[in-house]
Amino acid sequence: MKNQTFWKDKKVFVTGYTGFKGSWLCLWLHSLGANITGYSFEPPTTPSLFEQCKISEITKTIMGDIRDYKHLSSSILECDPDIIFHLAAQPLVRTSYTTPIETYETNVMGTVNLFEAVRLLTETTLKNRAIVNVTTDKCYENKEWIWGYREHDTLGGYDPYSNSKACSELVTTCYVNSFFNPNNYSNHLLAIASARAGNVIGGGDWARDRLVPDCIRSILNHESIKLRNPYSIRPWQHVLEPLSGYLLLAEKLYKDGVEYNGGWNFGPNDTDVIPVKEIVHLLYNTLGEQEKLEITSGDQLHEANQFKLDCSKAKKILGWAPRWNIEEAINRVAEWTIAYQKQENLKEMCLSQIDAYHEF
């Protein structure tokens, strides 16, 4: 996975780089020797991993709105990237119910703006490029199946967030067919794929309405954790798992072109598709804390009862596979949280976990 030769001095443009997953990705890219340009709003939370790890010191920082086409386009043209990771999004299901317009503007038109900017770029400079559009496992039409969703299964999405991400997938397919067709690869030299990951956890996630961050806040504040759906089943994985898939996919796209176009699932093994309540138990037990649970019934918006991904395609074709099981993932979250409590260097903690992941 760790290909220092490939990534060294590659120009990489990352949208949404001030977020939890974007910050981890920038740290990993920096450790691989890439030249990173980040485009995003200010960090979405306080505290934030972006600020805790001083990400602005290892990237060229552009504060901008993915909905601002002119600014985004000029930023991409100036960077002239080899590889783009598109992570900018309104990423929360429950928030999407209160801000549906903003959710669709960001997740759908933001994707359109990105591809339009890249279309202008390919007309200006012709060279090998790759884009990984990061969406979500929730882009699939959830039928409450007991088996995992595959890349060719029907897209859908019940709530505005999930549905907007399915729309982003459709936008991606449209631009591939209409403007970056594989049959005309020599005319644009752009390979494009989408990446669909499960529920990620890891140190430095401070978002609201996410299970593990809510648990961490409850522990730090000596409060009860409120659970809406304790028996809902999700595909849990450490954030480094899908990021390793994104990096590998981007490398394949860049080197081998349209052979790797399309959608790709990156999720845990079936043994790590477990209920919410079990995640809470593992986390509290690992941190040596007594569980304080409160089951809430109010404000019950629609949420899936069970969901998992079939990652056979990535395993067979990319040679990708998850490395850390859920117990190890929880251990890493606990390790990071303890370092935070002790006011240790969190950037070094993240980098040490990246190194440990390579060596696992």
Side-chain angles (χ1 to χ4, degrees):
M1 172 63 236
K2 190 171 184 177
N3 190 338
Q4 191 83 27
T5 303
F6 173 79
W7 287 101
K8 184 173 175 56
D9 297 327
K10 282 288 187 300
K11 292 190 288 185
V12 183
F13 193 89
V14 181
T15 70
Y17 78 118
T18 60
F20 163 63
K21 190 183 285 187
S23 295
W24 272 101
L25 178 60
C26 286
L27 285 168
W28 201 337
L29 286 167
H30 176 70
S31 74
L32 294 171
N35 292 327
I36 311 161
T37 297
Y39 185 95
S40 184
F41 277 144
E42 296 287 340
T45 63
T46 302
S48 72
L49 186 66
F50 179 83
E51 293 174 333
Q52 289 171 324
C53 293
K54 299 179 174 61
I55 302 298
S56 61
E57 295 180 0
I58 62 173
T59 65
K60 178 181 178 181
T61 297
I62 303 175
M63 291 298 167
D65 189 337
I66 196 71
R67 296 170 295 180
D68 185 344
Y69 170 71
K70 289 185 178 179
H71 187 215
L72 175 64
S73 182
S74 63
S75 299
I76 289 177
L77 283 171
E78 181 181 352
C79 176
D80 188 23
D82 303 303
I83 294 169
I84 296 174
F85 291 99
H86 179 41
L87 282 74
Q90 190 299 95
L92 300 174
V93 171
R94 292 178 69 81
T95 299
S96 75
Y97 280 105
T98 57
T99 60
I101 293 176
E102 179 184 340
T103 298
Y104 279 99
E105 286 177 341
T106 302
N107 296 353
V108 183
M109 285 309 300
T111 305
V112 172
N113 289 341
L114 178 77
F115 285 131
E116 273 296 291
V118 174
R119 186 157 74 100
L120 177 61
L121 181 64
T122 58
E123 292 173 354
T124 305
T125 308
L126 188 64
K127 68 175 187 179
N128 280 21
R129 303 181 200 275
I131 299 178
V132 176
N133 179 23
V134 176
T135 61
T136 176
D137 60 346
K138 297 174 183 64
C139 68
Y140 294 107
E141 180 183 353
N142 184 18
K143 300 180 179 180
E144 299 289 352
W145 286 338
I146 61 173
W147 53 83
Y149 291 88
R150 300 154 297 180
E151 286 84 353
H152 61 267
D153 284 325
T154 304
L155 299 176
Y158 184 101
D159 56 87
Y161 165 72
S162 305
N163 186 267
S164 68
K165 282 298 194 175
C167 292
S168 178
E169 290 276 357
L170 293 174
V171 168
T172 304
T173 300
C174 173
Y175 267 81
V176 168
N177 292 336
S178 302
F179 306 113
F180 308 116
N181 196 288
N183 295 326
N184 301 321
Y185 179 67
S186 60
N187 294 332
H188 53 76
L189 298 181
L190 178 65
I192 301 173
S194 62
R196 307 157 185 176
N199 287 41
V200 297
I201 63 175
D205 187 359
W206 298 105
R208 296 283 174 181
D209 289 323
R210 281 188 184 152
L211 179 63
V212 170
D214 286 347
C215 285
I216 297 298
R217 270 188 295 272
S218 297
I219 291 170
L220 295 177
N221 296 328
H222 307 289
E223 299 172 345
S224 297
I225 174 66
K226 297 180 180 181
L227 301 183
R228 297 186 302 271
N229 298 292
Y231 300 106
S232 293
I233 297 171
R234 297 289 185 271
W236 307 97
Q237 59 188 332
H238 193 274
V239 65
L240 295 180
E241 300 286 11
L243 292 185
S244 71
Y246 305 166
L247 290 168
L248 180 58
L249 178 58
E251 182 178 340
K252 295 284 190 182
L253 289 165
Y254 185 86
K255 291 164 62 175
D256 299 318
V258 295
E259 179 181 347
Y260 293 92
N261 272 18
W264 298 84
N265 289 341
F266 298 103
N269 292 321
D270 286 352
T271 52
D272 294 326
V273 182
I274 60 178
V276 164
K277 191 173 182 179
E278 190 169 336
I279 291 292
V280 174
H281 174 73
L282 283 170
L283 182 59
Y284 275 74
N285 187 59
T286 303
L287 282 168
E289 298 285 340
Q290 183 177 359
E291 289 182 32
K292 298 178 182 178
L293 305 182
E294 181 181 337
I295 309 302
T296 62
S297 57
D299 191 23
Q300 286 287 5
L301 300 173
H302 175 272
E303 293 184 82
N305 291 317
Q306 59 183 353
F307 207 98
K308 66 179 179 178
L309 293 172
D310 183 330
C311 302
S312 301
K313 178 182 174 183
K315 291 176 180 179
K316 181 178 180 180
I317 299 175
L318 292 179
W320 174 88
R323 299 185 183 188
W324 287 350
N325 62 24
I326 189 58
E327 288 79 10
E328 183 63 25
I330 291 292
N331 285 339
R332 296 296 175 173
V333 174
E335 178 185 44
W336 195 99
T337 302
I338 292 169
Y340 168 77
Q341 290 176 299
K342 294 181 177 179
Q343 299 184 332
E344 295 178 0
N345 187 317
L346 297 176
K347 179 179 179 180
E348 291 304 316
M349 170 55 65
C350 290
L351 291 173
S352 71
Q353 290 194 351
I354 290 171
D355 287 339
Y357 182 84
H358 282 304
E359 297 167 1
F360 194 83

